[in-house]
Amino acid sequence: QWGWEQKFLDKYKSMKADTCKPGETMNYKDPNYRSFGKILSWFDLTFVLFLFLISNSAKNTIMFGMSWHIFFMMNFMNPDVGVVEGPDSDWYDTDYFVVLTTTILGVIVAMIATGIPKARLTNVGHLVEDLDALSISITHVWEESVEYLTGSERSAKRFQIETQIDALSGKHLASQE
């Protein structure tokens, strides 16, 4: 067929064969990893997460950055996975390539969507008009309420004010749907 199925199965079998079983000795690709790799990796992870937490970034930005850093560091800290390197490695078959590609495509889509005038949200244009109408209605209800409450006698005006308040509540509920 296309050949990618066999390539995927071969890669899966080789990954499964490379994993260390309980009780076996771990073989590291980098000889220095055994002496200080774990400490350095944990320091990097902790320090970068600390920097994310003390930054003044938005909460979603912090969570996004932390999740990706943890994702990449888990592969880096795992001596069986490590970082793909060398000219014979399949660079297009790595998580790094997938993340880079989706990021670039996302930026391109965002730039195109920003440049197209009809791609704007359709309700944003009506938002100012709706807020102005609601503010005017609330102001009108308050003016009539103060006028009625400072009046000398009880009248049917209170039912008109109640109807206007109910209408405002209806507009509020309709806007939440």
Side-chain angles (χ1 to χ4, degrees):
Q1 303 262 351
W2 294 300
W4 65 270
E5 302 99 340
Q6 189 61 41
K7 187 175 181 180
F8 175 77
L9 289 174
D10 291 342
K11 188 166 184 116
Y12 176 74
K13 287 177 186 174
S14 69
M15 283 174 36
K16 196 171 181 183
D18 288 344
T19 57
C20 186
K21 305 199 178 25
E24 293 181 348
T25 305
M26 183 69 71
N27 293 323
Y28 298 97
K29 290 181 181 178
D30 185 355
N32 295 325
Y33 189 86
R34 182 179 300 278
S35 57
F36 61 87
K38 290 180 182 178
I39 295 169
L40 190 60
S41 297
W42 278 108
F43 174 76
D44 175 85
L45 182 67
T46 308
F47 183 68
V48 171
L49 293 181
F50 173 74
L51 290 177
F52 274 122
L53 291 174
I54 65 167
S55 71
N56 287 331
S57 300
K59 183 178 178 183
N60 61 342
T61 305
I62 293 172
M63 290 172 32
F64 182 78
M66 288 174 71
S67 66
W68 276 113
H69 188 71
I70 290 170
F71 172 76
F72 285 127
M73 282 304 292
M74 286 178 71
N75 282 342
F76 181 77
M77 290 168 68
N78 183 354
D80 286 336
V81 178
V83 178
V84 177
E85 54 192 30
D88 58 341
S89 63
D90 294 333
W91 57 268
Y92 57 86
D93 198 21
T94 62
D95 296 328
Y96 308 104
F97 177 73
V98 172
V99 170
L100 180 66
T101 304
T102 55
T103 302
I104 291 171
L105 289 175
V107 167
I108 290 170
V109 168
M111 289 182 351
I112 290 171
T114 303
I116 299 174
K118 296 287 183 182
R120 307 266 192 264
L121 297 173
T122 57
N123 287 333
V124 172
H126 301 290
L127 184 62
V128 173
E129 297 166 5
D130 291 345
L131 290 175
D132 286 342
L134 189 61
S135 297
I136 290 169
S137 298
I138 290 172
T139 304
H140 184 69
V141 167
W142 272 104
E143 287 173 350
E144 288 189 1
S145 299
V146 168
E147 183 182 314
Y148 174 73
L149 291 172
T150 57
S152 59
E153 59 186 43
R154 199 169 175 186
S155 68
K157 184 78 170 168
R158 67 179 190 264
F159 297 117
Q160 291 175 344
I161 294 171
E162 183 181 358
T163 305
Q164 289 175 353
I165 292 172
D166 289 341
L168 285 175
S169 297
K171 286 180 186 176
H172 174 68
L173 292 175
S175 68
Q176 285 183 342
E177 293 175 353

